[in-house]
Amino acid sequence: MEYGACPTVWFAAYQLLWHLLLPLAFVRLAWRARHSFAYLHHTPERLGFGYDKPITQGAIWIHAVSVGETRAAQPLIDAYLARGESILLTHMTLNGRRTGKQLFAKEIAAGRVTQVYLPYDLCWSVEHFLKTFKPRFGLFMETEAWPTVVFRCAQIDLPLFLVNARLSERSARRVNRFGKAGRSLFQAFRGILAQTQFDADRYRSLGVKDVQIVGNLKFDVPLDSTLLEQGAIWKKSIHAGNRLMVCAASTRDGEEAIILKAWKDLLRSNAFSVPPLLCLVPRHPERFPEVAEHIRSAKFTFRARSEWSGIPSDTTAVEVILGDSMGEMPLYYSAADLVVMGGSLLPFGGQNLIEACAVGCPVLLGEHTYNFQQAALDAIAAGAAKRLSGELMLGEPTALTKELQALLSNSAELSQMALAAKKYATEHQGATQRILAALDAKTI
């Protein structure tokens, strides 16, 4: 199929649906503004208008929908900036935009990076966006494939690539439900640079011909040295009190109840002369108050990370810490002796385990890791991670309790896993250069 072969009837129905549902998109923004009025900032950009001037044209366009994709894009953006290129960085979420602003504050101030929202997938909003910025080529991160954007770029011969691309088996089945229309969407990309063989095979099963395996950019993401140093100091302080710390990282709705029940059972077991410390870090900041209430209801003594201006201190009488901060995961990981990876205990597909491994922190995974299938399998094979066995039931999460007790009681195994985690993360670096080489061959 040639680039730009858009299924006309399907696309017309898609556009009609978008126009009918557009008011609900703004209602949703207003509803989310209950937590932060910043959700309503830059609203015209959602329709492809209202951009700050001067406008840089001819930049390399990188779309990173939210926080994880923005962080993953950092080594690629840094590499292009080092070449003297200008970057147009688009997002869909407020937290993604905040993360981009934090990572590239100097470059944004200097005009080398321009940040805007990707407009809603309406034909006229996308058209105005493309005519305004006229990017040289576009790179969509991981799983993003908006039909109007993808087909229009193909029609006007604007090279658009899906990079660091992943596709779970579940997502591939969902695409195939749309038949030819769904498959043509991914065929319209100029090329797909996939993370793993699993991902490449699934894209090829959709009829995509130009697929290359380049590895995962997340192995190349630099970690904030200041946060790592702070975490090491905090860990030293915790160990001085003969305590260990478990970080439940990027947890999703429903998982906190499982973890807190397991933690309650662990403390009741009296298996430790000095009880370990739990640091619970929800993935979405709007859930911080809700998770705090869960911890109170479970009758744990706890404090929130936001109560300390610097490195957390005076944690000796605390059973749980709520990690209610943004951008501090390297601190939590480097302070922890073990990570329970959120998103994997319930069927959310798992969150990024690579960052934890990069700081040498062993990882405990649930059964649901389809978003990071190859990374999870490789980490387990390397001895950097373990997968829970048995069903995780809300009322009796015994598998989690038993595994936590077994690992926290075995300092030799934890140390061995920590070394394996560091080695695993280092050995899988290099995706940035492979992606650059592949794109240079197609765009220069």
Side-chain angles (χ1 to χ4, degrees):
M1 182 175 291
E2 296 180 357
Y3 300 125
C6 174
T8 308
V9 175
W10 177 91
F11 188 71
Y14 174 76
Q15 283 296 310
L16 176 61
L17 185 62
W18 246 116
H19 283 81
L20 290 174
L21 296 179
L22 183 59
L24 293 181
F26 287 105
V27 169
R28 183 172 180 268
L29 279 181
W31 179 254
R32 304 196 78 176
R34 296 173 303 131
H35 302 290
S36 171
F37 194 74
Y39 279 100
L40 298 181
H41 293 172
H42 311 287
T43 298
E45 292 179 5
R46 305 282 189 177
L47 298 176
F49 296 89
Y51 303 114
D52 294 335
K53 295 181 179 181
I55 290 172
T56 301
Q57 294 185 332
I60 295 173
W61 168 28
I62 297 180
H63 176 60
V65 59
S66 194
V67 175
E69 294 84 359
T70 304
R71 292 194 180 281
Q74 183 182 355
L76 190 58
I77 293 173
D78 286 341
Y80 276 123
L81 289 172
R83 293 182 173 187
E85 301 283 2
S86 296
I87 301 295
L88 171 63
L89 180 58
T90 59
H91 313 275
M92 288 298 290
T93 71
L94 172 61
N95 289 327
R97 188 166 184 147
R98 283 172 169 169
T99 300
K101 186 175 182 180
Q102 178 187 34
L103 292 176
F104 304 108
K106 292 181 181 179
E107 291 79 7
I108 292 170
R112 299 184 63 202
V113 173
T114 301
Q115 262 194 308
V116 298
Y117 284 119
L118 184 71
Y120 291 140
D121 210 37
L122 302 152
C123 51
W124 47 270
S125 63
V126 169
E127 188 72 14
H128 192 266
F129 167 83
L130 293 174
K131 286 182 176 179
T132 299
F133 290 102
K134 294 187 168 92
R136 183 143 51 96
F137 59 87
L139 309 175
F140 271 34
M141 294 292 297
E142 299 200 0
T143 60
E144 287 290 284
W146 291 97
T148 307
V149 176
V150 175
F151 287 127
R152 185 56 183 155
C153 286
Q155 288 164 358
I156 64 175
D157 202 28
L158 171 61
L160 186 64
F161 301 88
L162 193 60
V163 301
N164 212 44
R166 57 184 174 87
L167 188 69
S168 68
E169 187 175 345
R170 177 186 295 186
S171 296
R173 287 198 302 267
R174 191 180 300 128
V175 172
N176 270 314
R177 286 196 198 107
F178 289 94
K180 182 178 178 182
R183 293 189 291 273
S184 66
L185 174 61
F186 291 97
Q187 294 166 8
F189 279 100
R190 185 66 61 91
I192 292 181
L193 306 182
Q195 293 182 15
T196 71
Q197 185 70 54
F198 286 123
D199 300 305
D201 288 345
R202 287 171 189 143
Y203 282 114
R204 288 176 182 136
S205 75
L206 300 178
V208 180
K209 295 179 180 179
D210 192 346
V211 183
Q212 293 178 248
I213 303 167
V214 293
N216 193 335
L217 274 171
K218 291 182 178 178
F219 286 102
D220 294 351
V221 174
L223 300 178
D224 189 314
S225 59
T226 300
L227 291 175
L228 295 179
E229 290 170 6
Q230 290 176 341
I233 294 171
W234 187 17
K235 186 173 188 174
K236 186 176 181 181
S237 173
I238 294 169
H239 284 186
N242 295 316
R243 299 185 82 183
L244 299 175
M245 189 175 91
V246 173
C247 176
S250 298
T251 57
R252 306 285 292 272
D253 188 16
E255 292 186 320
E256 293 88 8
I258 294 172
I259 293 164
L260 291 171
K261 177 64 168 62
W263 199 253
K264 181 73 75 175
D265 293 343
L266 182 72
L267 297 185
R268 284 174 176 168
S269 70
N270 296 316
F272 305 94
S273 56
V274 180
L277 176 66
L278 174 66
C279 181
L280 185 55
V281 188
R283 174 165 173 74
H284 298 116
E286 58 267 26
R287 297 189 60 243
F288 290 159
E290 173 192 341
V291 176
E293 189 53 42
H294 285 322
I295 300 172
R296 287 191 195 94
S297 298
K299 301 192 181 334
F300 284 108
T301 57
F302 85 101
R303 290 185 69 181
R305 166 71 180 101
S306 57
E307 295 179 34
W308 289 281
S309 57
I311 301 171
S313 58
D314 300 326
T315 61
T316 53
V318 175
E319 296 170 312
V320 177
I321 291 175
L322 172 62
D324 61 342
S325 62
M326 289 291 293
E328 287 197 323
M329 287 311 304
L331 181 150
Y332 296 127
Y333 287 144
S334 56
D337 297 280
L338 177 67
V339 167
V340 176
M341 188 51 59
S344 69
L345 304 183
L346 292 175
F348 294 110
Q351 301 303 144
N352 178 21
L353 69 155
I354 296 169
E355 193 172 68
C357 291
V359 301
C361 192
V363 178
L364 193 55
L365 298 166
E367 63 175 309
H368 306 285
T369 54
Y370 52 81
N371 286 336
F372 295 88
Q373 182 180 14
Q374 189 67 61
L377 291 173
D378 289 344
I380 292 169
K386 294 187 76 171
R387 193 186 297 278
L388 290 167
S389 59
E391 291 295 324
L392 281 173
M393 303 301 292
L394 179 58
E396 199 62 39
T398 55
L400 179 56
T401 304
K402 289 178 180 178
E403 197 62 61
L404 285 171
Q405 183 174 329
L407 284 173
L408 294 177
S409 301
N410 192 334
S411 59
E413 184 175 9
L414 277 181
S415 296
Q416 188 176 3
M417 288 181 70
L419 292 174
K422 196 88 170 178
K423 182 181 179 183
Y424 155 76
T426 301
E427 288 179 345
H428 285 77
Q429 292 175 349
T432 304
Q433 293 307 314
R434 289 190 288 272
I435 290 173
L436 286 173
L439 292 173
D440 286 347
K442 298 173 184 295
T443 59
I444 293 178

CSV table of all heavy atoms in Angstrom, one decimal, residues 14-43:
chain,number,residue,atom,x,y,z
A,14,TYR,N,-14.8,8.9,11.1
A,14,TYR,CA,-13.9,9.3,12.2
A,14,TYR,C,-14.0,10.8,12.4
A,14,TYR,O,-14.1,11.3,13.6
A,14,TYR,CB,-12.5,8.8,11.9
A,14,TYR,CG,-11.4,9.3,12.8
A,14,TYR,CD1,-11.3,8.6,14.1
A,14,TYR,CD2,-10.5,10.3,12.5
A,14,TYR,CE1,-10.3,9.0,15.0
A,14,TYR,CE2,-9.5,10.7,13.4
A,14,TYR,CZ,-9.4,10.1,14.6
A,14,TYR,OH,-8.4,10.5,15.5
A,15,GLN,N,-13.9,11.6,11.3
A,15,GLN,CA,-14.0,13.0,11.5
A,15,GLN,C,-15.3,13.5,12.0
A,15,GLN,O,-15.4,14.4,12.9
A,15,GLN,CB,-13.7,13.7,10.1
A,15,GLN,CG,-12.2,13.7,9.7
A,15,GLN,CD,-11.4,14.5,10.6
A,15,GLN,OE1,-11.7,15.7,10.9
A,15,GLN,NE2,-10.3,13.9,11.1
A,16,LEU,N,-16.4,12.9,11.6
A,16,LEU,CA,-17.7,13.3,12.1
A,16,LEU,C,-17.8,13.0,13.6
A,16,LEU,O,-18.3,13.9,14.3
A,16,LEU,CB,-18.8,12.5,11.3
A,16,LEU,CG,-20.2,12.7,11.8
A,16,LEU,CD1,-20.7,14.1,11.7
A,16,LEU,CD2,-21.2,11.7,11.1
A,17,LEU,N,-17.3,11.9,14.0
A,17,LEU,CA,-17.3,11.5,15.4
A,17,LEU,C,-16.5,12.5,16.2
A,17,LEU,O,-16.9,13.0,17.3
A,17,LEU,CB,-16.8,10.1,15.6
A,17,LEU,CG,-16.8,9.6,17.0
A,17,LEU,CD1,-18.3,9.5,17.5
A,17,LEU,CD2,-16.2,8.2,17.1
A,18,TRP,N,-15.3,12.9,15.7
A,18,TRP,CA,-14.5,13.9,16.4
A,18,TRP,C,-15.2,15.2,16.6
A,18,TRP,O,-15.2,15.8,17.7
A,18,TRP,CB,-13.2,14.1,15.7
A,18,TRP,CG,-12.0,13.6,16.4
A,18,TRP,CD1,-11.1,12.7,16.0
A,18,TRP,CD2,-11.4,14.1,17.6
A,18,TRP,NE1,-10.1,12.5,16.9
A,18,TRP,CE2,-10.3,13.4,17.9
A,18,TRP,CE3,-11.8,15.1,18.5
A,18,TRP,CZ2,-9.5,13.6,19.1
A,18,TRP,CZ3,-11.1,15.3,19.7
A,18,TRP,CH2,-10.0,14.6,20.0
A,19,HIS,N,-15.9,15.7,15.5
A,19,HIS,CA,-16.6,17.0,15.6
A,19,HIS,C,-17.8,16.9,16.6
A,19,HIS,O,-18.1,17.9,17.3
A,19,HIS,CB,-17.0,17.4,14.2
A,19,HIS,CG,-15.9,18.0,13.4
A,19,HIS,ND1,-15.1,17.2,12.7
A,19,HIS,CD2,-15.6,19.3,13.1
A,19,HIS,CE1,-14.2,17.9,12.0
A,19,HIS,NE2,-14.5,19.2,12.3
A,20,LEU,N,-18.4,15.7,16.6
A,20,LEU,CA,-19.6,15.6,17.5
A,20,LEU,C,-19.1,15.6,19.0
A,20,LEU,O,-19.8,16.1,19.9
A,20,LEU,CB,-20.3,14.3,17.2
A,20,LEU,CG,-21.1,14.3,15.9
A,20,LEU,CD1,-21.7,12.9,15.6
A,20,LEU,CD2,-22.2,15.4,15.9
A,21,LEU,N,-17.9,15.0,19.2
A,21,LEU,CA,-17.4,14.8,20.6
A,21,LEU,C,-16.5,15.9,21.1
A,21,LEU,O,-16.1,15.9,22.2
A,21,LEU,CB,-16.7,13.5,20.7
A,21,LEU,CG,-17.5,12.2,20.5
A,21,LEU,CD1,-16.6,10.9,20.6
A,21,LEU,CD2,-18.6,12.1,21.5
A,22,LEU,N,-16.2,16.9,20.2
A,22,LEU,CA,-15.3,17.9,20.5
A,22,LEU,C,-15.7,18.7,21.8
A,22,LEU,O,-14.9,19.0,22.7
A,22,LEU,CB,-15.1,18.9,19.4
A,22,LEU,CG,-14.1,20.1,19.6
A,22,LEU,CD1,-12.7,19.5,19.9
A,22,LEU,CD2,-14.1,21.0,18.3
A,23,PRO,N,-17.0,19.0,22.0
A,23,PRO,CA,-17.4,19.7,23.2
A,23,PRO,C,-17.1,18.9,24.4
A,23,PRO,O,-16.7,19.5,25.5
A,23,PRO,CB,-18.9,19.9,23.1
A,23,PRO,CG,-19.2,19.9,21.6
A,23,PRO,CD,-18.2,18.9,21.0
A,24,LEU,N,-17.2,17.6,24.4
A,24,LEU,CA,-16.8,16.8,25.5
A,24,LEU,C,-15.4,16.8,25.9
A,24,LEU,O,-15.0,16.7,27.0
A,24,LEU,CB,-17.3,15.3,25.3
A,24,LEU,CG,-18.8,15.0,25.1
A,24,LEU,CD1,-19.0,13.6,24.9
A,24,LEU,CD2,-19.5,15.5,26.4
A,25,ALA,N,-14.5,17.0,24.8
A,25,ALA,CA,-13.1,17.1,25.1
A,25,ALA,C,-12.8,18.3,25.9
A,25,ALA,O,-11.9,18.3,26.9
A,25,ALA,CB,-12.3,17.2,23.8
A,26,PHE,N,-13.5,19.4,25.7
A,26,PHE,CA,-13.3,20.6,26.5
A,26,PHE,C,-13.9,20.5,27.9
A,26,PHE,O,-13.4,21.1,28.8
A,26,PHE,CB,-13.8,21.9,25.7
A,26,PHE,CG,-12.9,22.2,24.6
A,26,PHE,CD1,-13.3,22.0,23.3
A,26,PHE,CD2,-11.7,22.8,24.8
A,26,PHE,CE1,-12.4,22.3,22.2
A,26,PHE,CE2,-10.8,23.2,23.8
A,26,PHE,CZ,-11.2,22.9,22.5
A,27,VAL,N,-15.0,19.8,27.9
A,27,VAL,CA,-15.6,19.5,29.2
A,27,VAL,C,-14.7,18.7,30.1
A,27,VAL,O,-14.5,19.0,31.3
A,27,VAL,CB,-17.0,18.8,29.1
A,27,VAL,CG1,-17.5,18.2,30.4
A,27,VAL,CG2,-18.0,19.7,28.5
A,28,ARG,N,-14.0,17.8,29.5
A,28,ARG,CA,-13.0,16.9,30.2
A,28,ARG,C,-11.8,17.8,30.7
A,28,ARG,O,-11.4,17.6,31.8
A,28,ARG,CB,-12.5,15.8,29.3
A,28,ARG,CG,-11.5,14.9,30.0
A,28,ARG,CD,-11.2,13.7,29.0
A,28,ARG,NE,-10.3,12.8,29.7
A,28,ARG,CZ,-9.0,12.8,29.5
A,28,ARG,NH1,-8.4,13.8,28.8
A,28,ARG,NH2,-8.2,11.9,30.1
A,29,LEU,N,-11.4,18.7,29.9
A,29,LEU,CA,-10.3,19.7,30.3
A,29,LEU,C,-10.8,20.5,31.5
A,29,LEU,O,-10.0,20.7,32.5
A,29,LEU,CB,-9.9,20.6,29.2
A,29,LEU,CG,-8.9,20.1,28.1
A,29,LEU,CD1,-8.6,21.1,27.1
A,29,LEU,CD2,-7.6,19.6,28.8
A,30,ALA,N,-12.0,21.0,31.4
A,30,ALA,CA,-12.5,21.8,32.5
A,30,ALA,C,-12.7,21.0,33.8
A,30,ALA,O,-12.4,21.5,34.9
A,30,ALA,CB,-13.9,22.4,32.1
A,31,TRP,N,-13.1,19.7,33.6
A,31,TRP,CA,-13.2,18.8,34.8
A,31,TRP,C,-11.8,18.6,35.5
A,31,TRP,O,-11.7,18.6,36.7
A,31,TRP,CB,-13.8,17.5,34.3
A,31,TRP,CG,-14.0,16.5,35.4
A,31,TRP,CD1,-13.3,15.4,35.7
A,31,TRP,CD2,-15.0,16.5,36.5
A,31,TRP,NE1,-13.7,14.7,36.8
A,31,TRP,CE2,-14.8,15.4,37.3
A,31,TRP,CE3,-16.0,17.4,36.8
A,31,TRP,CZ2,-15.6,15.1,38.4
A,31,TRP,CZ3,-16.8,17.1,37.9
A,31,TRP,CH2,-16.6,16.0,38.7
A,32,ARG,N,-10.8,18.4,34.6
A,32,ARG,CA,-9.5,18.1,35.2
A,32,ARG,C,-8.9,19.4,35.8
A,32,ARG,O,-8.0,19.3,36.6
A,32,ARG,CB,-8.6,17.6,34.1
A,32,ARG,CG,-9.1,16.3,33.4
A,32,ARG,CD,-8.0,15.6,32.7
A,32,ARG,NE,-7.2,14.9,33.6
A,32,ARG,CZ,-6.2,14.1,33.2
A,32,ARG,NH1,-5.9,13.9,31.9
A,32,ARG,NH2,-5.4,13.4,34.0
A,33,ALA,N,-9.4,20.6,35.4
A,33,ALA,CA,-8.9,21.8,35.9
A,33,ALA,C,-9.3,22.0,37.4
A,33,ALA,O,-8.8,22.9,38.1
A,33,ALA,CB,-9.4,23.0,35.1
A,34,ARG,N,-10.2,21.1,37.9
A,34,ARG,CA,-10.4,21.1,39.3
A,34,ARG,C,-9.2,20.9,40.1
A,34,ARG,O,-9.0,21.4,41.2
A,34,ARG,CB,-11.4,20.0,39.7
A,34,ARG,CG,-12.8,20.1,39.1
A,34,ARG,CD,-13.6,18.9,39.4
A,34,ARG,NE,-13.0,17.7,38.9
A,34,ARG,CZ,-12.8,16.6,39.6
A,34,ARG,NH1,-13.2,16.5,40.9
A,34,ARG,NH2,-12.2,15.5,39.1
A,35,HIS,N,-8.3,20.1,39.6
A,35,HIS,CA,-7.0,19.8,40.3
A,35,HIS,C,-6.0,20.8,40.0
A,35,HIS,O,-5.1,21.1,40.8
A,35,HIS,CB,-6.5,18.4,39.9
A,35,HIS,CG,-7.5,17.3,40.1
A,35,HIS,ND1,-7.8,16.8,41.4
A,35,HIS,CD2,-8.2,16.5,39.3
A,35,HIS,CE1,-8.7,15.9,41.3
A,35,HIS,NE2,-9.0,15.7,40.0
A,36,SER,N,-6.0,21.4,38.8
A,36,SER,CA,-5.0,22.4,38.4
A,36,SER,C,-5.5,23.2,37.3
A,36,SER,O,-5.9,22.7,36.2
A,36,SER,CB,-3.6,21.7,38.0
A,36,SER,OG,-2.8,22.7,37.5
A,37,PHE,N,-5.6,24.5,37.4
A,37,PHE,CA,-6.1,25.4,36.4
A,37,PHE,C,-5.2,25.4,35.2
A,37,PHE,O,-5.6,25.8,34.1
A,37,PHE,CB,-6.2,26.8,36.9
A,37,PHE,CG,-7.0,27.7,36.0
A,37,PHE,CD1,-8.4,27.6,36.0
A,37,PHE,CD2,-6.4,28.7,35.2
A,37,PHE,CE1,-9.2,28.4,35.1
A,37,PHE,CE2,-7.2,29.5,34.3
A,37,PHE,CZ,-8.6,29.3,34.3
A,38,ALA,N,-4.0,24.8,35.3
A,38,ALA,CA,-3.0,24.8,34.2
A,38,ALA,C,-3.6,23.9,33.1
A,38,ALA,O,-3.1,24.0,31.9
A,38,ALA,CB,-1.7,24.3,34.7
A,39,TYR,N,-4.5,23.0,33.4
A,39,TYR,CA,-5.1,22.2,32.3
A,39,TYR,C,-5.8,23.1,31.2
A,39,TYR,O,-5.9,22.7,30.1
A,39,TYR,CB,-6.2,21.3,32.9
A,39,TYR,CG,-5.6,20.0,33.4
A,39,TYR,CD1,-5.4,19.9,34.8
A,39,TYR,CD2,-5.2,19.0,32.6
A,39,TYR,CE1,-4.8,18.7,35.4
A,39,TYR,CE2,-4.6,17.8,33.2
A,39,TYR,CZ,-4.5,17.7,34.5
A,39,TYR,OH,-3.9,16.6,35.1
A,40,LEU,N,-6.2,24.3,31.6
A,40,LEU,CA,-6.8,25.2,30.6
A,40,LEU,C,-5.9,26.2,30.0
A,40,LEU,O,-6.3,27.0,29.1
A,40,LEU,CB,-7.9,26.0,31.4
A,40,LEU,CG,-9.1,25.1,32.0
A,40,LEU,CD1,-10.1,26.0,32.6
A,40,LEU,CD2,-9.7,24.3,30.9
A,41,HIS,N,-4.6,26.1,30.4
A,41,HIS,CA,-3.6,27.0,29.7
A,41,HIS,C,-3.4,26.5,28.3
A,41,HIS,O,-3.4,25.3,28.0
A,41,HIS,CB,-2.3,27.0,30.5
A,41,HIS,CG,-2.4,27.6,31.8
A,41,HIS,ND1,-1.3,27.6,32.7
A,41,HIS,CD2,-3.4,28.3,32.4
A,41,HIS,CE1,-1.7,28.2,33.8
A,41,HIS,NE2,-2.9,28.7,33.7
A,42,HIS,N,-3.1,27.4,27.4
A,42,HIS,CA,-2.8,27.1,26.0
A,42,HIS,C,-3.9,26.3,25.3
A,42,HIS,O,-3.7,25.5,24.3
A,42,HIS,CB,-1.5,26.2,25.9
A,42,HIS,CG,-0.3,26.8,26.6
A,42,HIS,ND1,0.3,27.9,26.2
A,42,HIS,CD2,0.2,26.4,27.8
A,42,HIS,CE1,1.3,28.2,27.1
A,42,HIS,NE2,1.3,27.3,28.1
A,43,THR,N,-5.2,26.6,25.7
A,43,THR,CA,-6.3,25.9,25.1
A,43,THR,C,-6.4,26.1,23.6
A,43,THR,O,-6.7,25.1,22.9
A,43,THR,CB,-7.6,26.3,25.8
A,43,THR,OG1,-7.6,26.0,27.2
A,43,THR,CG2,-8.8,25.7,25.2
